[in-house]
Amino acid sequence: MVERSDRAPLLDWEEVPSAEKPSGPSPVAAHAKDRLASPSNSRASPGGSAPGLGWSSGPGGPTPSRSASNADRCGAPPATSSTPTGQDEALQSDNEDHLSDSGSRELSLEDRMVKWEEKDQIVSVFVVTFNTRSGNMLEWCLPKDMDLDGVEFKAIASGSHRVTTDFIYFRKGCYFGLACFANMAVESTVERGARMKSVGILSPSYTLLYRYMSFLEHQVRLQLQSPGHYSPLEAFYEDKRALLPPSGDGVVTACPANAWGAAINHCMHPEMKITHPAGCMSQFIRFFGEQIMVLWKLALLRRRILIFSPPPVGVVCYRVYCCCCLANISLPGIGEAVPEFRPFFYVNVADISALENELSYVACTTEKIFEEKKDLYDVYVDNQNVKTYRDGLKPLLRLSTADREKYRKLTEQRQMLLYSQEENGDCVSSEEDLFILFFLEQNNRIFQTLGEVAGSPDPTLTQESVRAMGLDPHGDRLFLLHLLEIYGYDTLLVSEQLCCS
């Protein structure tokens, strides 16, 4: 059975949890530390996103989304549209601490950005049900003309009949979705003793979807107990719906054009907030152990990674997100020519044609048939088993000496943090920050060194320069060669001393 949310279920559609008041050091003091936690580079790419605003895009340009791709964000969410006046005033006071000498103009932009971010986020709300004769079916949705073809197979994952509750993150076109599934025993021969439904929403970004999980959990229970009662969902949609352009091309254009800068500098909460108190990255690191270093390299190389797991699929969706976080880079201009590392979250056989056109992604599935579709992925992850059928990548699955050393340091840092929290009552630092910052700094270190070598009179990678990156000159030689090719460091020479181990 899937882990339940640590938040109480909402009793009414208006009771969306309000934002927490920021705590800990000032944003200025925490500025360097908080350049982290993004499953994409802090850059803009063709057909991708504006810096700091997520990668989702569609016809007509980038789709503004509240992603923490922002390199300068801090860890407190702005107030929601339903926040009481007192909290709005507290937020405004907090924002004033972030102002530069230009003062009121920047505040005005940030205020506008907050209003846009917290309003008009939901583009669709729907109910999916399982019919014993027809299978998964779209039962109800708003708006009625929204293209939700195939969403019935995303909102109820294959094999979900084996679990009581679950939640699923997924991608639908240029939107992201979150659905909460529930399975209830009933005394009905027509329904064969079980009633299964899922209530979900679509948004241009996955960064705020977690805020509505409690609402969706409560609504799916209502749908199981009183099928056909849609008025709370209708009211929710009317309050939260996004403003779509008249052309109907599916691109959200509610963000003011001159508010991009405010979005980049605005304090943002880490996306994909996990419902389990232990935290997302913490579980991810403990689950994979040393194998996390293998996933880190493959993520940095922008490989197509598919994670298989039987239901429940919710926790596996978090592994998709965490895998993207391993490839964070905050140095400007790095990787502009490489494919965006996109989280697809849950996929099924209906997504095969979409995955065929993707150069780089991370996804999860409950359908074992994907393992046979070897042309769809580069790396297949089954439980803690990471494997590939591509001969050129197989050596990367072996841990190098530097990999084990990095993992040892990561473990030591975690132990020191836990000790500090226990002995000194340190409530500011967190394992999430520690893990994400560890890989961000490692990635920045690699590309900083590559940039220095490329700008030197002798652009040759030696054993010393490779060690300066935190890599093993012998065990990581193949990884380094892949890295140079993918990120366009073609002018760099590799010393003959870097032989294969």
Side-chain angles (χ1 to χ4, degrees):
M1 179 172 172
V2 70
E3 293 282 356
R4 299 294 299 172
S5 169
D6 59 328
R7 299 181 301 277
L10 298 185
L11 300 180
D12 186 80
W13 66 272
E14 291 182 329
E15 298 182 33
V16 178
S18 59
E20 302 90 349
K21 187 75 177 73
S23 61
S26 68
V28 175
H31 176 79
K33 174 186 173 185
D34 285 332
R35 297 172 60 89
L36 47 86
S38 160
S40 59
N41 294 347
S42 53
R43 59 179 173 79
S45 61
S49 64
L53 294 173
W55 57 263
S56 57
S57 62
T63 299
S65 62
R66 190 185 151 191
S67 169
S69 304
N70 161 32
D72 296 321
R73 64 163 184 82
C74 42
T80 63
S81 58
S82 59
T83 304
T85 304
Q87 289 181 334
D88 281 337
E89 293 172 355
L91 175 65
Q92 183 174 354
S93 173
D94 183 71
N95 280 343
E96 289 172 357
D97 295 336
H98 296 69
L99 293 178
S100 64
D101 293 338
S102 55
S104 59
R105 182 179 63 83
E106 292 189 7
L107 178 61
S108 174
L109 285 177
E110 290 203 5
D111 281 346
R112 293 178 64 192
M113 197 62 216
V114 171
K115 291 177 181 178
W116 173 80
E117 287 176 335
E118 300 303 326
K119 186 179 178 182
D120 309 320
Q121 281 290 320
I122 306 302
V123 300
S124 181
V125 58
F126 58 85
V127 178
V128 169
T129 188
F130 176 77
N131 184 283
T132 54
R133 294 183 178 180
S134 307
N136 295 1
M137 296 177 58
L138 180 64
E139 176 183 311
W140 175 90
C141 70
L142 279 179
K144 299 298 183 181
D145 59 350
M146 186 74 176
D147 177 16
L148 294 177
D149 183 42
V151 76
E152 64 271 26
F153 300 108
K154 296 176 180 290
I156 299 182
S158 177
S160 290
H161 61 279
R162 303 189 189 100
V163 299
T164 305
T165 59
D166 199 2
F167 62 95
I168 305 116
Y169 281 87
F170 59 90
R171 180 185 165 197
K172 168 63 178 167
C174 60
Y175 299 121
F176 291 95
L178 170 63
C180 284
F181 165 84
N183 183 354
M184 183 178 75
V186 293
E187 295 181 2
S188 169
T189 55
V190 175
E191 296 177 284
R192 298 179 185 174
R195 182 177 298 158
M196 291 177 279
K197 291 182 183 289
S198 196
V199 178
I201 52 178
L202 291 181
S203 172
S205 169
Y206 56 83
T207 63
L208 292 183
L209 290 176
Y210 74 87
R211 291 191 176 185
Y212 306 113
M213 188 177 291
S214 291
F215 169 74
L216 297 176
E217 288 174 338
H218 181 59
Q219 288 302 311
V220 74
R221 287 194 293 270
L222 287 181
Q223 289 299 318
L224 289 175
Q225 296 163 5
S226 305
H229 183 58
Y230 306 123
S231 55
L233 295 175
E234 292 171 346
F236 171 81
Y237 175 70
E238 287 302 318
D239 182 61
K240 301 295 182 184
R241 66 177 178 174
L243 299 178
L244 297 180
S247 61
D249 57 7
V251 180
V252 174
T253 57
C255 180
N258 61 349
W260 290 112
I264 296 172
N265 293 294
H266 189 74
C267 271
M268 292 182 178
H269 194 279
E271 66 271 73
M272 285 291 287
K273 181 177 179 181
I274 195 168
T275 56
H276 192 285
C280 182
M281 284 294 289
S282 306
Q283 290 186 21
F284 183 63
I285 300 289
R286 286 196 295 268
F287 181 78
F288 283 104
E290 284 187 337
Q291 289 294 306
I292 200 70
M293 306 312 302
V294 173
L295 290 175
W296 161 66
K297 291 180 182 178
L298 295 168
L300 203 57
L301 293 178
R302 298 295 194 264
R303 295 303 177 180
R304 300 173 298 168
I305 301 175
L306 183 62
I307 304 173
F308 168 80
S309 176
V313 77
V315 67
V316 194
C317 289
Y318 284 120
R319 291 174 194 160
V320 169
Y321 158 72
C322 292
C323 200
C324 288
C325 287
L326 297 178
N328 288 350
I329 306 168
S330 64
L331 298 178
I334 298 299
E336 293 180 347
V338 301
E340 197 87 30
F341 201 43
R342 299 184 171 186
F344 260 73
F345 298 110
Y346 176 72
V347 295
N348 52 43
V349 291
D351 296 301
I352 287 179
S353 59
L355 294 180
E356 286 175 339
N357 299 319
E358 289 297 319
L359 300 176
S360 176
Y361 70 83
V362 189
C364 61
T365 187
T366 59
E367 301 183 10
K368 196 69 174 176
I369 192 174
F370 269 94
E371 186 173 7
E372 302 173 10
K373 307 289 184 181
K374 300 176 183 178
D375 57 326
L376 293 180
Y377 59 84
D378 299 316
V379 181
Y380 188 82
V381 182
D382 186 347
N383 202 19
Q384 287 104 331
N385 184 24
V386 182
K387 56 186 176 181
T388 180
Y389 295 100
R390 309 205 177 280
D391 293 337
L393 296 179
K394 288 180 179 179
L396 298 181
L397 304 187
R398 294 195 297 265
L399 290 169
S400 68
T401 303
D403 290 333
R404 290 190 167 90
E405 178 63 17
K406 279 192 285 287
Y407 185 74
R408 184 188 64 79
K409 289 181 179 179
L410 180 61
T411 304
E412 287 181 353
Q413 290 181 22
R414 176 177 177 267
Q415 293 299 326
M416 291 174 63
L417 173 63
L418 295 178
Y419 177 81
S420 176
Q421 290 175 337
E422 182 177 349
E423 295 295 319
N424 306 322
D426 180 6
C427 299
V428 176
S429 304
S430 72
E431 286 186 71
E432 304 304 293
D433 290 347
L434 169 67
F435 292 139
I436 295 175
L437 185 61
F438 180 89
F439 288 101
L440 174 67
E441 291 180 338
Q442 174 61 53
N443 297 340
N444 286 350
R445 181 181 177 186
I446 288 175
F447 290 102
Q448 182 73 37
T449 305
L450 287 176
E452 292 172 355
V453 173
S456 66
D458 180 17
T460 302
L461 286 173
T462 63
Q463 291 192 24
E464 291 72 23
S465 55
V466 173
R467 289 193 181 96
M469 300 180 199
L471 301 178
D472 183 338
H474 302 300
D476 288 328
R477 180 179 183 273
L478 182 60
F479 166 65
L480 185 57
L481 292 176
H482 280 295
L483 201 70
L484 297 180
E485 178 184 0
I486 290 172
Y487 286 85
Y489 288 91
D490 300 330
T491 58
L492 287 181
L493 304 175
V494 180
S495 170
E496 294 182 359
Q497 295 177 335
L498 304 185
C499 8
C500 297
S501 57

